[in-house]
Amino acid sequence: MIDRKAFRSLSSGLYLITAKAGDARCGCVVNTLVQVASEPATLSVSLNKENATTAAILESGRFAATVLAEDTPMELIGTFGFHTSADTDKFAACASALDGAEVPYVTEHGLARFSVSVTETIDVGSHYLFVGVVEEAEVLSAGDPLTYAYYHAVKGGKTPPKAATYNNGDEAAVPGITETAAGAPEAGKKIAWRCTICGYIEEGYPDGLPEGYMCPICGAPPREMFERVEL
């Protein structure tokens, strides 16, 4: 028996993994970046086999990583976490730079960054586990790192289906938010609409989101992907 709620107790940070293959720049959000050795300094990260970033790492044998700050806006997380690099230039709307191997990394809202040369690739089912030696490491700014718990509990974020920690949508409820059916809100509360894909919350519109409304974070259409909640 596997109780999916048990996985909620596992804590981690939130990171951007970026790579380059040819002229294609790729990137995605993960919570699976871990230091696994000190000498030499070694990191591992798990990425879905279907990700464009995964394909770029397999081709180039390299990746960069940015540690996200707690105040990272959901727009940046949405761009890298809920869109594909196959058809979206994720670097277009954020500040970035190149490491010594010319792999792009995001500097905006980053606390630190790493440049990694992959030494081992392990097939772990739906994902590949990339293990690599750190060739560059730099502190970008001061601040508190964004944890996965904070992302869920405070920012109201969701777990993408391709994430290693996706558990069939079984996630803890966000404090202060109550799912509700149509009708007048409970006294003292107000109506809002939550995207079931990325967790973005749009306040107001008690009679429903306007025609043609799209989620500003992940681009989800309204009636199919938004649920009515009370705040």
Side-chain angles (χ1 to χ4, degrees):
M1 185 274 291
I2 295 180
D3 183 352
R4 292 288 180 177
K5 294 181 179 61
F7 293 94
R8 297 176 183 173
S9 301
L10 299 175
S11 181
S12 60
L14 215 60
Y15 315 95
L16 294 183
I17 301 299
T18 51
K20 180 182 178 183
D23 294 328
R25 301 183 299 176
C26 303
C28 62
V29 178
V30 305
N31 70 322
T32 57
L33 184 69
V34 178
Q35 182 177 357
V36 294
S38 58
E39 291 296 337
T42 304
L43 300 181
S44 71
V45 67
S46 175
L47 294 182
N48 193 286
K49 292 178 178 179
E50 298 179 2
N51 282 0
T53 306
T54 303
I57 296 174
L58 288 171
E59 180 176 332
S60 67
R62 310 190 65 88
F63 68 86
T66 299
V67 180
L68 292 176
E70 195 171 74
D71 62 358
T72 300
M74 287 296 286
E75 286 78 7
L76 179 62
I77 297 173
T79 296
F80 278 86
F82 295 93
H83 294 272
T84 173
S85 297
D87 56 26
T88 302
D89 181 3
K90 298 182 179 183
F91 295 85
C94 66
S96 63
L98 298 177
D99 66 13
E102 299 191 341
V103 175
Y105 62 91
V106 174
T107 58
E108 192 170 331
H109 301 287
L111 299 183
R113 64 95 180 178
F114 302 91
S115 179
V116 181
S117 176
V118 175
T119 56
E120 189 174 2
T121 300
I122 304 169
D123 189 327
V124 289
S126 59
H127 287 59
Y128 283 122
L129 180 67
F130 295 108
V131 181
V133 175
V134 176
E135 294 186 340
E136 298 176 20
E138 178 185 10
V139 175
L140 299 176
S141 64
D144 295 322
L146 174 59
T147 67
Y148 211 40
Y150 189 93
Y151 168 71
H152 283 297
V154 179
K155 291 181 176 290
K158 296 284 189 177
T159 302
K162 289 184 179 180
T165 52
Y166 181 74
N167 288 297
N168 299 321
D170 181 63
E171 298 173 303
V174 179
I177 298 178
T178 305
E179 295 182 21
T180 180
E186 183 181 331
K189 293 193 174 184
K190 54 186 177 181
I191 296 298
W193 299 89
R194 179 172 59 188
C195 178
T196 59
I197 301 298
C198 69
Y200 173 77
I201 293 177
E202 179 70 73
E203 297 184 18
Y205 303 105
D207 297 323
L209 291 167
E211 182 93 18
Y213 178 92
M214 304 290 284
C215 176
I217 301 299
C218 68
R223 291 172 178 79
E224 296 87 350
M225 297 299 179
F226 274 76
E227 60 188 0
R228 188 178 187 268
V229 298
E230 292 179 1
L231 303 178

